[in-house]
Amino acid sequence: MSAENEILAWLASQQDAMLATLREMVDTDGGSYDKQGVDRVGAQVRRFMEAQGIPTEVLPQRKHGDCIRATVEGGDGLSGGNNRQNIVLMGHRDTVFPKGEPERRPFRIEGARAYGPGVADMKAGLVMNMFVLAAFRKFGGAPGPLVALFTGDEEIGSPEGRPVIEAEARAARVVFNSEPGRPTGGIVTGRKGGVFSVFDIEGKAAHSGGNFEAGISAIGELAAKITAIHALTDLKRGITLNVGLVSGGQSVNTVAPWAQGQIDLRYVEPADRDEVMAKIEAIIAKSFVPGTRATLTIKGEFLPLTQSPEARKLFDLYRDAARETGFVPEGEFSGGCADSGFTAAMGAPTLCAVGPVGGRAHTPEEYLEVASLVPRAQAMARAILRLGPG
């Protein structure tokens, strides 16, 4: 039996094992700011790899989950360097949910779907990557070194993970990012970029009844800035601005001495980023309420995923591999951001959302189509085999 047939047959037999691995991951806390929880999920990854005879390297991170790099030799047996040999499988371990969420709604399967925090976004993709790596470790056949990267802070813009991802991309022949497959069964070939920032406003406190005129309202300034920032939205160009979190004030009977807003900027074209950020900076610098002062801080950022000619060839190769497996995915554009934008910007042909199919991410209704676990793993394995020698 050929290595390909052995890999596909073994993956076909692993659904129950995949689900058991996924259950343990979903039932482990791992919000982006919960470093200990994200690292506990990392320990589960490392235990699996060790059991499969796959070496791992831990790249420590100070604030967020450590990055884990697992490798399986293939092709000429070399890994790393600047000659773009590596076939990279990528995913993040963190979720958007608060601490204790797995206890409130643990992993469960109802009918054809599995539920739980992070079940699709993106712990199922991690499990898929782990089993694909294990299949190539068992049966060989990889046309080049396989590298699986498991990061820990994607949901907040990868502030620590980005340099690790970009370093990996420099040695990547191709990148498969196993974010959840779209509810349609499609994969993502284009994404918006995003900038996540915070602006802080300083005013002056005063009693709102007895000394109102001595106060300078930071909340009044916040309202004016929000209106101006939202006015930068240009739907025709795919540019959206959303001040999604606000806070401020001392008490209802005090003119607000401080306020804060958090901005989500999304854009399509790389050149739009600097144009819109310059306009935001001008709004923050302007005092609509005389006497207020404000500062702007970028907290996280994603680059857009754009489809190069090489990425288009990779998509065609993947679609052919998927067709052999039994499904035909379309390439879709997403307004959401992901780490795939970083690898594409480094010149690595990148596909995103090649993971198992799911939907309603970031909500209590998040789900995974259980029947997609094995076919998506097989399609990835076939695509890797079809790459041929590097």
Side-chain angles (χ1 to χ4, degrees):
M1 184 181 293
S2 68
E4 177 173 343
N5 289 336
E6 289 180 312
I7 287 169
L8 298 176
W10 183 77
L11 288 172
S13 71
Q14 294 303 300
Q15 178 170 294
D16 288 346
M18 289 180 180
L19 289 171
T21 304
L22 180 59
R23 179 185 295 275
E24 183 183 17
M25 280 193 174
V26 171
D27 286 346
T28 303
D29 257 319
S32 302
Y33 295 100
D34 181 5
K35 176 174 171 58
Q36 289 184 338
V38 177
D39 285 341
R40 279 193 291 271
V41 177
Q44 294 165 8
V45 173
R46 296 199 309 275
R47 284 199 300 271
F48 177 91
M49 296 299 179
E50 182 179 358
Q52 302 297 324
I54 298 171
T56 59
E57 174 187 6
V58 176
L59 306 172
Q61 306 298 308
R62 186 170 66 88
K63 290 185 178 180
H64 306 293
D66 296 338
C67 295
I68 299 170
R69 186 177 189 271
T71 57
V72 170
E73 290 188 353
D76 59 12
L78 299 176
S79 180
N82 295 315
N83 51 359
R84 294 196 178 274
Q85 292 188 79
N86 297 347
I87 300 163
V88 177
L89 317 183
M90 196 163 68
H92 65 88
R93 309 191 309 279
D94 60 316
T95 74
V96 300
F97 298 102
K99 197 168 182 65
E101 193 73 7
E103 294 181 6
R104 290 185 283 271
R105 48 184 191 91
F107 179 88
R108 72 185 194 279
I109 297 176
E110 293 182 2
R113 290 178 171 178
Y115 298 86
V119 67
D121 185 16
M122 61 169 292
K123 290 181 176 179
L126 300 181
V127 170
M128 187 191 80
N129 287 356
M130 291 157 62
F131 276 78
V132 169
L133 219 64
F136 280 99
R137 175 66 178 84
K138 287 176 180 294
F139 305 110
L146 296 178
V147 176
L149 189 63
F150 303 86
T151 60
D153 57 355
E154 188 269 355
E155 295 290 4
I156 54 172
S158 300
E160 289 186 316
R162 178 176 176 176
V164 176
I165 293 165
E166 290 179 336
E168 198 62 61
R170 292 187 185 98
R173 179 180 173 189
V174 296
V175 176
F176 296 99
N177 194 32
S178 297
E179 290 278 357
R182 315 309 287 174
T184 61
I187 68 172
V188 171
T189 53
R191 287 187 182 272
K192 285 187 177 183
V195 182
F196 314 110
S197 57
V198 176
F199 61 101
D200 292 282
I201 302 169
E202 180 184 339
K204 182 181 178 182
H207 193 291
S208 62
N211 198 27
F212 178 84
E213 65 277 7
I216 301 173
S217 176
I219 288 179
E221 180 70 14
L222 174 71
K225 288 189 188 303
I226 290 172
T227 300
I229 289 167
H230 282 180
L232 299 177
T233 292
D234 187 337
L235 294 177
K236 290 183 178 179
R237 294 170 63 188
I239 296 169
T240 59
L241 280 299
N242 181 58
V243 180
L245 287 173
V246 296
S247 57
Q250 177 176 303
S251 69
V252 70
N253 58 346
T254 303
V255 176
W258 71 275
Q260 182 187 87
Q262 298 192 31
I263 308 168
D264 177 308
L265 160 65
R266 303 291 171 111
Y267 62 94
V268 177
E269 297 298 330
D272 292 341
R273 187 263 187 208
D274 290 346
E275 175 190 332
V276 179
M277 284 304 299
K279 292 178 180 178
I280 292 172
E281 290 166 1
I283 291 168
I284 300 305
K286 178 180 178 180
S287 293
F288 296 83
V289 176
T292 57
R293 294 183 297 178
T295 58
L296 179 70
T297 305
I298 294 176
K299 292 294 187 180
E301 183 163 359
F302 284 109
L303 299 180
L305 171 63
T306 55
Q307 193 175 41
S308 66
E310 292 77 15
R312 177 68 201 190
K313 291 177 183 177
L314 181 61
F315 170 72
D316 290 341
L317 180 148
Y318 178 86
R319 185 169 54 183
D320 289 345
R323 183 181 290 110
E324 291 182 57
T325 306
F327 65 98
V328 184
E330 296 299 324
E332 299 183 20
F333 183 86
S334 172
C337 301
D339 285 336
S340 49
F342 298 136
T343 60
M346 299 301 295
T350 300
L351 294 182
C352 197
V354 297
V357 175
R360 299 175 188 163
H362 298 195
T363 76
E365 292 77 40
E366 179 180 2
Y367 68 88
L368 167 74
E369 300 286 1
V370 171
S372 69
L373 270 167
V374 168
R376 301 289 277 210
Q378 290 175 321
M380 175 180 278
R382 274 194 166 106
I384 290 169
L385 289 163
R386 298 296 184 273
L387 289 169

